Coordinates of all heavy atoms in Angstrom, one line a residue:
F102 N 15.0 -5.9 10.8 CA 13.6 -5.6 11.1 C 13.0 -6.7 12.0 O 12.7 -7.8 11.5 CB 12.7 -5.4 9.8 CG 12.8 -4.0 9.3 CD1 13.9 -3.7 8.5 CD2 11.8 -3.1 9.6 CE1 13.9 -2.4 7.9 CE2 11.9 -1.8 9.1 CZ 13.0 -1.4 8.3
R103 N 12.8 -6.4 13.2 CA 12.1 -7.4 14.1 C 10.7 -6.9 14.3 O 10.4 -5.8 14.7 CB 12.8 -7.4 15.5 CG 14.3 -7.8 15.4 CD 14.4 -9.2 15.0 NE 15.8 -9.5 14.5 CZ 16.8 -9.7 15.3 NH1 16.7 -9.7 16.6 NH2 18.0 -9.9 14.8
T104 N 9.7 -7.8 14.1 CA 8.3 -7.4 14.2 C 7.6 -8.3 15.3 O 8.1 -9.3 15.7 CB 7.6 -7.6 12.9 OG1 7.4 -9.0 12.6 CG2 8.4 -7.0 11.7
G105 N 6.3 -7.9 15.5 CA 5.4 -8.7 16.3 C 5.0 -9.9 15.4 O 5.5 -10.1 14.3
S106 N 4.1 -10.8 16.0 CA 3.8 -12.0 15.3 C 2.6 -12.0 14.4 O 2.3 -13.0 13.7 CB 3.7 -13.1 16.3 OG 4.9 -13.4 16.9
A107 N 1.9 -10.9 14.4 CA 0.7 -10.8 13.6 C 1.0 -10.9 12.1 O 1.2 -9.8 11.4 CB -0.1 -9.6 13.9
Y108 N 1.0 -12.1 11.5 CA 1.2 -12.2 10.1 C 0.3 -11.3 9.3 O -0.9 -11.2 9.6 CB 1.1 -13.7 9.7 CG 2.0 -14.6 10.4 CD1 1.6 -15.4 11.4 CD2 3.3 -14.7 10.0 CE1 2.4 -16.3 12.1 CE2 4.2 -15.6 10.7 CZ 3.7 -16.3 11.7 OH 4.6 -17.2 12.4
K114 N 8.8 -3.9 15.9 CA 9.2 -3.8 17.3 C 10.5 -3.0 17.4 O 10.6 -2.2 18.3 CB 9.3 -5.2 18.0 CG 8.0 -5.8 18.1 CD 8.0 -6.8 19.2 CE 6.7 -7.0 19.9 NZ 6.6 -8.3 20.5
G138 N 9.6 -8.1 7.7 CA 10.6 -8.3 8.8 C 10.5 -9.8 9.3 O 10.0 -10.6 8.5
I139 N 11.1 -10.1 10.4 CA 10.9 -11.4 11.0 C 10.4 -11.3 12.4 O 10.7 -10.3 13.1 CB 12.1 -12.3 11.0 CG1 13.3 -11.6 11.6 CG2 12.4 -12.9 9.7 CD1 14.5 -12.6 11.9
N140 N 9.6 -12.3 12.8 CA 9.1 -12.3 14.2 C 10.0 -13.2 15.1 O 11.0 -13.7 14.7 CB 7.6 -12.7 14.2 CG 7.4 -14.2 13.7 OD1 8.4 -15.0 13.7 ND2 6.2 -14.5 13.4
R141 N 9.5 -13.4 16.3 CA 10.4 -14.2 17.3 C 10.4 -15.6 17.0 O 11.2 -16.4 17.6 CB 9.9 -13.9 18.7 CG 8.5 -14.4 19.0 CD 8.1 -13.8 20.3 NE 6.7 -14.1 20.6 CZ 6.3 -14.8 21.6 NH1 7.1 -15.4 22.4 NH2 5.0 -15.0 21.7
Y142 N 9.6 -16.1 16.0 CA 9.8 -17.5 15.6 C 10.7 -17.6 14.4 O 10.8 -18.7 13.7 CB 8.4 -18.1 15.3 CG 7.4 -17.9 16.4 CD1 6.4 -17.0 16.2 CD2 7.5 -18.6 17.6 CE1 5.4 -16.8 17.2 CE2 6.6 -18.4 18.6 CZ 5.6 -17.5 18.4 OH 4.7 -17.3 19.4
D143 N 11.3 -16.5 14.0 CA 12.2 -16.5 12.8 C 11.4 -16.6 11.5 O 11.9 -17.1 10.5 CB 13.3 -17.5 12.8 CG 14.5 -17.1 13.7 OD1 14.5 -15.9 14.1 OD2 15.3 -17.9 14.0
D144 N 10.1 -16.3 11.6 CA 9.2 -16.4 10.4 C 9.2 -15.0 9.7 O 9.2 -14.0 10.4 CB 7.8 -16.8 10.8 CG 7.6 -18.3 10.9 OD1 8.5 -19.0 10.5 OD2 6.6 -18.7 11.5
V145 N 9.1 -15.0 8.4 CA 8.9 -13.8 7.7 C 7.5 -13.2 8.0 O 6.5 -13.9 8.0 CB 9.1 -14.0 6.2 CG1 8.8 -12.7 5.4 CG2 10.5 -14.5 5.9
T146 N 7.5 -11.9 8.2 CA 6.2 -11.3 8.4 C 6.0 -10.1 7.4 O 7.1 -9.6 7.0 CB 6.0 -10.7 9.8 OG1 7.2 -9.9 10.1 CG2 6.0 -11.8 10.9

Side-chain angles (χ1 to χ4, degrees):
F102 276 83
R103 302 290 163 81
T104 75
S106 290
Y108 300 102
K114 289 205 154 153
I139 50 167
N140 64 15
R141 62 192 171 115
Y142 309 109
D143 282 349
D144 279 344
V145 173
T146 52

